[in-house]
Amino acid sequence: MDIPNTSSNGGNFQVDIQAIRKKARQGIEDGAVTDTYRADRETVLRLLNEALATEVVCVLRYKRHFFMARGMNAEPVAAEFAEHATQEQEHADRLAERIVQLGGAPNLNPEGLTRRSHSEYVEAGSLEDMIKENLVAERIAIDSYRAMVDYIGDKDPTTRRLLEEILAVEEEHADDLADFLA
């Protein structure tokens, strides 16, 4: 991080706030992205748009499965599908917001959505197959988010934190679904 005129005197951290204020006025049209942003912004935006597509596909799959769930044990499973769909939509919204913060545009164009998504949209016939397909999708999301977190590292802590928070929820989803299969 390139904070102007900082010094550490015997454990006392000092910042030249006047220099920071001056720098803040430069490139103001870039919003939250300052010259201290260390990640490759275009790559991060691509990854976030892929994650966004993945979340949208997951919302659609969970919604379909919620409406199509049938059988003796369908009610609690359908309720779980509905809850997961809501949480996946929240993830999509947070990802879209971060994309905008980084000066990008969320790609919500339905054409190519499944191509950009890491997970697949599988309709599935039986309740058990629906659970399995959603569990597969969650496992894909888990590995994808972990890879993104590893790639970003400490170059963009805000995006990393967002991805880690989403990853934690995806792990909970996988655990919930695995419990249904046990």
Side-chain angles (χ1 to χ4, degrees):
M1 187 151 122
D2 186 25
I3 296 177
N5 299 322
T6 60
S7 63
S8 179
N9 298 332
N12 294 329
F13 180 76
Q14 297 176 349
V15 176
D16 182 347
I17 195 65
Q18 295 302 325
I20 289 176
R21 287 175 180 163
K22 182 179 177 184
K23 277 181 64 177
R25 294 186 181 285
Q26 300 165 355
I28 196 167
E29 64 279 352
D30 292 333
V33 180
T34 67
D35 65 351
T36 60
Y37 186 80
R38 297 182 314 214
D40 177 343
R41 193 162 49 120
E42 292 308 312
T43 300
V44 171
L45 289 170
R46 179 182 54 78
L47 293 174
L48 290 175
N49 266 307
E50 289 174 5
L52 176 59
T54 301
E55 295 295 340
V56 171
V57 167
C58 287
V59 169
L60 296 172
R61 188 186 54 257
Y62 272 124
K63 288 297 246 179
R64 175 180 168 78
H65 291 174
F66 166 73
F67 288 112
M68 296 302 295
R70 299 282 185 270
M72 276 187 358
N73 300 318
E75 192 173 316
V77 176
E80 195 71 29
F81 290 163
E83 180 182 334
H84 289 193
T86 299
Q87 291 170 331
E88 303 293 4
Q89 182 62 59
E90 291 168 1
H91 297 167
D93 293 346
R94 293 180 68 198
L95 290 162
E97 181 179 17
R98 184 62 182 155
I99 290 165
V100 171
Q101 287 172 349
L102 291 174
N107 187 348
L108 293 167
N109 187 335
E111 189 175 316
L113 188 64
T114 55
R115 225 178 16 259
R116 292 187 307 277
S117 173
H118 294 186
S119 66
E120 298 171 295
Y121 180 88
V122 178
E123 292 180 351
S126 70
L127 189 60
E128 183 177 353
D129 287 344
M130 290 176 196
I131 295 168
K132 287 179 179 177
E133 286 302 329
N134 284 306
L135 180 53
V136 167
E138 295 295 353
R139 291 171 52 86
I140 290 167
I142 289 166
D143 283 344
S144 294
Y145 282 117
R146 279 193 188 130
M148 287 183 240
V149 166
D150 289 345
Y151 169 76
I152 290 172
D154 64 354
K155 295 175 283 204
D156 180 348
T158 304
T159 299
R160 184 190 68 235
R161 190 170 41 255
L162 169 62
L163 296 174
E164 288 171 340
E165 290 168 2
I166 293 172
L167 170 61
V169 175
E170 303 298 2
E171 289 173 343
E172 288 176 28
H173 289 177
D175 189 51
D176 293 342
L177 295 166
D179 286 349
F180 283 122
L181 293 175

